[in-house]
Amino acid sequence: NSFCTLLVVPVAMPTSPSLSSTSSSTSLSVSASESESSFAASVTRIERGDDEEPEFVDGVPDELQCGICLGVAKVAHVTEECGHLYCRDCILGAFDIKKACPYCREPLTDKGIRKSVRAQREIMALTVNCGNAKHGCEETCTLSDLERHMERCQYAKIDCPLRTYGCDAVISRKVLCEHLSACPVAVRLSQGDAALEHEMAIHQRANRGQFIWKIENIQSRRGQACSPGFMAHGLKWCLRHIPAQGGVFVVPVGHNKRASFTLTIFNTNQDNDVTDFDGGWPAAKTSWGFAKFTNPERLGTPGFVVDGCATVGVVMHGLIDD
């Protein structure tokens, strides 16, 4: 039957009372919760978001392996009656198919499966290799310390801190200073590139959740321009610039929802930024914004156009009910 697909080749399973005991103090429960979070983070940080299992230096003892997937028990859960250990997701998935222990087929109830504080603690104490071992890191640590190590590991691959401004390099943390000495964006900054300095200043003062768009050739271009799409309220939107109207408009992408929003055009002098708010997007409109927002007079004012580009930002507020 379908339950047979969940059975695995038998491995040595825990039978000691320590894993089937139901006693645990409040402090142990808190520790278990923290270790679950740390374990999940450690696993997912191994390969920059990949959830492959950490490399355990001495392997994983049989009694700490999941009886279904045979890997280390993730968020360890134990069956009350027979004391067999599983990953939380593995045993709950099996329980949905058949109310029995996958290893020994002992009948189970929904209250017969619980977290194993002791097993989780033992798992977190296992020694693992750094997730950057293939890049040259030879350090080892306990699983509970893996996340902290990965955050400071000199062999970790990181994006150039100037990625937002055009550098796509991915480098080891240990060569960051060397990279910045030759990074094309850093070189532009060292040469006093006014346009780049303006762009960086805008990003530093932008509001949380604000989408920033640099409109290129804004004074000479005749055709419309659209920004890359951005997400707000779980929906996709974009900005459209129409030179003939001097307008910047918010456009729904793949839906017909409407929202109030704040639109800003940035000046090199923050005190001269211009912001408009709209909270009354008409129901009949497929886009809404401000005509003459980038009118010639405004663009001719010092500080709005730098190196032929103007930069605008939008913050999407609440959706407007139909």
mmCIF file of all heavy atoms in Angstrom, residues 165 195-207 210 212-213 265-268 273 303-304 306 310-313:
data_model
loop_
_atom_site.group_PDB
_atom_site.id
_atom_site.type_symbol
_atom_site.label_atom_id
_atom_site.label_comp_id
_atom_site.label_asym_id
_atom_site.label_seq_id
_atom_site.Cartn_x
_atom_site.Cartn_y
_atom_site.Cartn_z
ATOM 1 N N TYR A 165 24.684 49.845 -7.003
ATOM 2 C CA TYR A 165 25.100 50.935 -7.890
ATOM 3 C C TYR A 165 25.844 50.438 -9.128
ATOM 4 O O TYR A 165 26.461 51.223 -9.830
ATOM 5 C CB TYR A 165 25.961 51.920 -7.098
ATOM 6 C CG TYR A 165 25.298 52.316 -5.809
ATOM 7 C CD1 TYR A 165 25.740 51.805 -4.593
ATOM 8 C CD2 TYR A 165 24.183 53.143 -5.803
ATOM 9 C CE1 TYR A 165 25.100 52.129 -3.408
ATOM 10 C CE2 TYR A 165 23.536 53.469 -4.632
ATOM 11 C CZ TYR A 165 23.999 52.961 -3.434
ATOM 12 O OH TYR A 165 23.359 53.275 -2.267
ATOM 13 N N ALA A 195 27.081 62.030 -10.496
ATOM 14 C CA ALA A 195 25.846 61.272 -10.720
ATOM 15 C C ALA A 195 25.755 60.091 -9.761
ATOM 16 O O ALA A 195 24.693 59.811 -9.196
ATOM 17 C CB ALA A 195 25.787 60.787 -12.167
ATOM 18 N N LEU A 196 26.869 59.397 -9.568
ATOM 19 C CA LEU A 196 26.868 58.249 -8.665
ATOM 20 C C LEU A 196 26.686 58.693 -7.219
ATOM 21 O O LEU A 196 25.954 58.062 -6.449
ATOM 22 C CB LEU A 196 28.166 57.463 -8.821
ATOM 23 C CG LEU A 196 28.306 56.208 -7.949
ATOM 24 C CD1 LEU A 196 27.158 55.242 -8.198
ATOM 25 C CD2 LEU A 196 29.643 55.525 -8.214
ATOM 26 N N GLU A 197 27.331 59.780 -6.840
ATOM 27 C CA GLU A 197 27.169 60.291 -5.481
ATOM 28 C C GLU A 197 25.711 60.673 -5.220
ATOM 29 O O GLU A 197 25.172 60.430 -4.135
ATOM 30 C CB GLU A 197 28.082 61.500 -5.270
ATOM 31 C CG GLU A 197 29.567 61.141 -5.224
ATOM 32 C CD GLU A 197 30.453 62.372 -5.107
ATOM 33 O OE1 GLU A 197 29.909 63.495 -5.211
ATOM 34 O OE2 GLU A 197 31.670 62.210 -4.917
ATOM 35 N N HIS A 198 25.071 61.255 -6.228
ATOM 36 C CA HIS A 198 23.656 61.620 -6.102
ATOM 37 C C HIS A 198 22.797 60.369 -5.929
ATOM 38 O O HIS A 198 21.912 60.314 -5.065
ATOM 39 C CB HIS A 198 23.224 62.391 -7.347
ATOM 40 C CG HIS A 198 21.766 62.742 -7.395
ATOM 41 N ND1 HIS A 198 21.121 63.398 -6.364
ATOM 42 C CD2 HIS A 198 20.819 62.523 -8.356
ATOM 43 C CE1 HIS A 198 19.850 63.573 -6.679
ATOM 44 N NE2 HIS A 198 19.643 63.043 -7.881
ATOM 45 N N GLU A 199 23.066 59.342 -6.731
ATOM 46 C CA GLU A 199 22.301 58.092 -6.645
ATOM 47 C C GLU A 199 22.462 57.448 -5.272
ATOM 48 O O GLU A 199 21.488 56.981 -4.673
ATOM 49 C CB GLU A 199 22.765 57.126 -7.736
ATOM 50 C CG GLU A 199 21.979 55.826 -7.777
ATOM 51 C CD GLU A 199 22.439 54.903 -8.891
ATOM 52 O OE1 GLU A 199 23.262 55.325 -9.726
ATOM 53 O OE2 GLU A 199 21.972 53.746 -8.914
ATOM 54 N N MET A 200 23.680 57.429 -4.755
ATOM 55 C CA MET A 200 23.919 56.829 -3.446
ATOM 56 C C MET A 200 23.223 57.622 -2.346
ATOM 57 O O MET A 200 22.649 57.048 -1.417
ATOM 58 C CB MET A 200 25.422 56.744 -3.178
ATOM 59 C CG MET A 200 26.155 55.788 -4.108
ATOM 60 S SD MET A 200 27.903 55.592 -3.689
ATOM 61 C CE MET A 200 27.770 54.627 -2.187
ATOM 62 N N ALA A 201 23.257 58.932 -2.459
ATOM 63 C CA ALA A 201 22.605 59.771 -1.451
ATOM 64 C C ALA A 201 21.102 59.521 -1.426
ATOM 65 O O ALA A 201 20.477 59.475 -0.357
ATOM 66 C CB ALA A 201 22.896 61.244 -1.729
ATOM 67 N N ILE A 202 20.505 59.315 -2.597
ATOM 68 C CA ILE A 202 19.069 59.043 -2.678
ATOM 69 C C ILE A 202 18.735 57.729 -1.990
ATOM 70 O O ILE A 202 17.799 57.636 -1.190
ATOM 71 C CB ILE A 202 18.613 59.022 -4.147
ATOM 72 C CG1 ILE A 202 18.612 60.448 -4.709
ATOM 73 C CG2 ILE A 202 17.219 58.405 -4.277
ATOM 74 C CD1 ILE A 202 18.363 60.517 -6.195
ATOM 75 N N HIS A 203 19.500 56.680 -2.282
ATOM 76 C CA HIS A 203 19.230 55.376 -1.679
ATOM 77 C C HIS A 203 19.395 55.424 -0.159
ATOM 78 O O HIS A 203 18.674 54.750 0.573
ATOM 79 C CB HIS A 203 20.152 54.315 -2.282
ATOM 80 C CG HIS A 203 19.684 53.807 -3.610
ATOM 81 N ND1 HIS A 203 18.814 52.748 -3.740
ATOM 82 C CD2 HIS A 203 19.944 54.236 -4.873
ATOM 83 C CE1 HIS A 203 18.568 52.535 -5.023
ATOM 84 N NE2 HIS A 203 19.245 53.415 -5.733
ATOM 85 N N GLN A 204 20.318 56.236 0.309
ATOM 86 C CA GLN A 204 20.547 56.319 1.747
ATOM 87 C C GLN A 204 19.412 57.030 2.470
ATOM 88 O O GLN A 204 19.144 56.755 3.635
ATOM 89 C CB GLN A 204 21.881 57.031 2.012
ATOM 90 C CG GLN A 204 23.097 56.191 1.631
ATOM 91 C CD GLN A 204 24.391 56.981 1.670
ATOM 92 O OE1 GLN A 204 24.401 58.160 2.035
ATOM 93 N NE2 GLN A 204 25.482 56.344 1.286
ATOM 94 N N ARG A 205 18.731 57.939 1.788
ATOM 95 C CA ARG A 205 17.661 58.670 2.461
ATOM 96 C C ARG A 205 16.271 58.189 2.052
ATOM 97 O O ARG A 205 15.270 58.730 2.509
ATOM 98 C CB ARG A 205 17.792 60.163 2.191
ATOM 99 C CG ARG A 205 17.451 60.627 0.769
ATOM 100 C CD ARG A 205 17.701 62.121 0.656
ATOM 101 N NE ARG A 205 17.171 62.733 -0.536
ATOM 102 C CZ ARG A 205 17.902 63.380 -1.430
ATOM 103 N NH1 ARG A 205 19.213 63.470 -1.263
ATOM 104 N NH2 ARG A 205 17.342 63.947 -2.485
ATOM 105 N N ALA A 206 16.206 57.189 1.173
ATOM 106 C CA ALA A 206 14.909 56.681 0.723
ATOM 107 C C ALA A 206 14.142 56.076 1.889
ATOM 108 O O ALA A 206 14.716 55.515 2.820
ATOM 109 C CB ALA A 206 15.100 55.638 -0.372
ATOM 110 N N ASN A 207 12.823 56.195 1.829
ATOM 111 C CA ASN A 207 11.964 55.620 2.855
ATOM 112 C C ASN A 207 11.929 54.105 2.729
ATOM 113 O O ASN A 207 12.129 53.550 1.645
ATOM 114 C CB ASN A 207 10.535 56.166 2.728
ATOM 115 C CG ASN A 207 10.471 57.653 2.992
ATOM 116 O OD1 ASN A 207 11.182 58.163 3.849
ATOM 117 N ND2 ASN A 207 9.625 58.351 2.246
ATOM 118 N N GLN A 210 10.363 52.016 -0.310
ATOM 119 C CA GLN A 210 10.237 52.918 -1.458
ATOM 120 C C GLN A 210 10.943 52.321 -2.675
ATOM 121 O O GLN A 210 12.094 51.890 -2.596
ATOM 122 C CB GLN A 210 10.842 54.278 -1.116
ATOM 123 C CG GLN A 210 10.585 55.362 -2.156
ATOM 124 C CD GLN A 210 11.011 56.730 -1.652
ATOM 125 O OE1 GLN A 210 11.985 56.855 -0.925
ATOM 126 N NE2 GLN A 210 10.277 57.758 -2.024
ATOM 127 N N ILE A 212 12.756 52.849 -6.115
ATOM 128 C CA ILE A 212 13.526 53.932 -6.727
ATOM 129 C C ILE A 212 13.737 53.634 -8.205
ATOM 130 O O ILE A 212 14.110 52.525 -8.583
ATOM 131 C CB ILE A 212 14.903 54.086 -6.039
ATOM 132 C CG1 ILE A 212 14.736 54.252 -4.523
ATOM 133 C CG2 ILE A 212 15.665 55.264 -6.632
ATOM 134 C CD1 ILE A 212 14.017 55.501 -4.115
ATOM 135 N N TRP A 213 13.509 54.637 -9.052
ATOM 136 C CA TRP A 213 13.695 54.471 -10.494
ATOM 137 C C TRP A 213 14.440 55.674 -11.062
ATOM 138 O O TRP A 213 14.020 56.815 -10.879
ATOM 139 C CB TRP A 213 12.340 54.331 -11.184
ATOM 140 C CG TRP A 213 12.412 54.146 -12.677
ATOM 141 C CD1 TRP A 213 13.349 53.461 -13.386
ATOM 142 C CD2 TRP A 213 11.485 54.660 -13.650
ATOM 143 N NE1 TRP A 213 13.075 53.495 -14.728
ATOM 144 C CE2 TRP A 213 11.932 54.225 -14.926
ATOM 145 C CE3 TRP A 213 10.322 55.423 -13.561
ATOM 146 C CZ2 TRP A 213 11.257 54.546 -16.098
ATOM 147 C CZ3 TRP A 213 9.648 55.735 -14.735
ATOM 148 C CH2 TRP A 213 10.110 55.299 -15.988
ATOM 149 N N ILE A 265 10.192 63.130 -6.536
ATOM 150 C CA ILE A 265 11.319 63.341 -7.437
ATOM 151 C C ILE A 265 12.436 63.940 -6.593
ATOM 152 O O ILE A 265 12.223 64.900 -5.841
ATOM 153 C CB ILE A 265 10.966 64.246 -8.642
ATOM 154 C CG1 ILE A 265 12.187 64.392 -9.561
ATOM 155 C CG2 ILE A 265 10.403 65.588 -8.225
ATOM 156 C CD1 ILE A 265 11.862 65.028 -10.912
ATOM 157 N N PHE A 266 13.608 63.321 -6.680
ATOM 158 C CA PHE A 266 14.701 63.664 -5.777
ATOM 159 C C PHE A 266 15.590 64.766 -6.347
ATOM 160 O O PHE A 266 15.866 64.810 -7.546
ATOM 161 C CB PHE A 266 15.557 62.426 -5.495
ATOM 162 C CG PHE A 266 14.815 61.335 -4.774
ATOM 163 C CD1 PHE A 266 14.300 60.250 -5.470
ATOM 164 C CD2 PHE A 266 14.625 61.396 -3.399
ATOM 165 C CE1 PHE A 266 13.617 59.238 -4.813
ATOM 166 C CE2 PHE A 266 13.939 60.391 -2.729
ATOM 167 C CZ PHE A 266 13.433 59.312 -3.438
ATOM 168 N N ASN A 267 16.043 65.617 -5.446
ATOM 169 C CA ASN A 267 16.979 66.680 -5.781
ATOM 170 C C ASN A 267 18.296 66.397 -5.070
ATOM 171 O O ASN A 267 18.316 65.707 -4.048
ATOM 172 C CB ASN A 267 16.412 68.035 -5.330
ATOM 173 C CG ASN A 267 17.183 69.215 -5.883
ATOM 174 O OD1 ASN A 267 18.267 69.543 -5.411
ATOM 175 N ND2 ASN A 267 16.609 69.868 -6.887
ATOM 176 N N THR A 268 19.389 66.911 -5.605
ATOM 177 C CA THR A 268 20.667 66.719 -4.918
ATOM 178 C C THR A 268 20.634 67.341 -3.531
ATOM 179 O O THR A 268 21.339 66.904 -2.623
ATOM 180 C CB THR A 268 21.816 67.329 -5.734
ATOM 181 O OG1 THR A 268 21.488 68.684 -6.068
ATOM 182 C CG2 THR A 268 22.049 66.545 -7.019
ATOM 183 N N ASP A 273 13.535 68.183 -2.501
ATOM 184 C CA ASP A 273 12.753 67.066 -3.035
ATOM 185 C C ASP A 273 11.294 67.493 -3.170
ATOM 186 O O ASP A 273 10.775 68.252 -2.338
ATOM 187 C CB ASP A 273 12.826 65.852 -2.103
ATOM 188 C CG ASP A 273 14.196 65.196 -2.085
ATOM 189 O OD1 ASP A 273 15.052 65.573 -2.902
ATOM 190 O OD2 ASP A 273 14.405 64.303 -1.235
ATOM 191 N N GLY A 303 19.693 70.496 -9.695
ATOM 192 C CA GLY A 303 19.645 69.395 -8.734
ATOM 193 C C GLY A 303 18.686 68.274 -9.072
ATOM 194 O O GLY A 303 18.780 67.187 -8.497
ATOM 195 N N PHE A 304 17.742 68.498 -10.017
ATOM 196 C CA PHE A 304 16.797 67.436 -10.353
ATOM 197 C C PHE A 304 17.331 66.509 -11.444
ATOM 198 O O PHE A 304 17.006 65.326 -11.467
ATOM 199 C CB PHE A 304 15.447 68.015 -10.786
ATOM 200 C CG PHE A 304 14.618 68.514 -9.639
ATOM 201 C CD1 PHE A 304 14.334 69.863 -9.503
ATOM 202 C CD2 PHE A 304 14.134 67.634 -8.683
ATOM 203 C CE1 PHE A 304 13.575 70.331 -8.439
ATOM 204 C CE2 PHE A 304 13.375 68.087 -7.615
ATOM 205 C CZ PHE A 304 13.099 69.443 -7.488
ATOM 206 N N VAL A 306 20.708 64.972 -13.106
ATOM 207 C CA VAL A 306 22.143 64.775 -12.927
ATOM 208 C C VAL A 306 22.613 63.792 -13.988
ATOM 209 O O VAL A 306 22.102 62.671 -14.079
ATOM 210 C CB VAL A 306 22.461 64.227 -11.518
ATOM 211 C CG1 VAL A 306 23.958 63.993 -11.371
ATOM 212 C CG2 VAL A 306 21.963 65.189 -10.447
ATOM 213 N N ALA A 310 16.902 61.781 -14.136
ATOM 214 C CA ALA A 310 16.141 62.204 -12.962
ATOM 215 C C ALA A 310 15.745 60.944 -12.203
ATOM 216 O O ALA A 310 15.505 59.891 -12.807
ATOM 217 C CB ALA A 310 14.904 62.989 -13.363
ATOM 218 N N THR A 311 15.669 61.047 -10.896
ATOM 219 C CA THR A 311 15.351 59.876 -10.078
ATOM 220 C C THR A 311 14.066 60.117 -9.307
ATOM 221 O O THR A 311 13.909 61.150 -8.653
ATOM 222 C CB THR A 311 16.495 59.565 -9.094
ATOM 223 O OG1 THR A 311 17.709 59.382 -9.830
ATOM 224 C CG2 THR A 311 16.202 58.297 -8.308
ATOM 225 N N VAL A 312 13.153 59.153 -9.422
ATOM 226 C CA VAL A 312 11.879 59.246 -8.713
ATOM 227 C C VAL A 312 11.732 58.037 -7.799
ATOM 228 O O VAL A 312 12.366 56.995 -7.996
ATOM 229 C CB VAL A 312 10.682 59.317 -9.692
ATOM 230 C CG1 VAL A 312 10.764 60.563 -10.551
ATOM 231 C CG2 VAL A 312 10.619 58.066 -10.565
ATOM 232 N N GLY A 313 10.885 58.184 -6.795
ATOM 233 C CA GLY A 313 10.606 57.086 -5.877
ATOM 234 C C GLY A 313 9.124 57.025 -5.583
ATOM 235 O O GLY A 313 8.442 58.056 -5.571
#
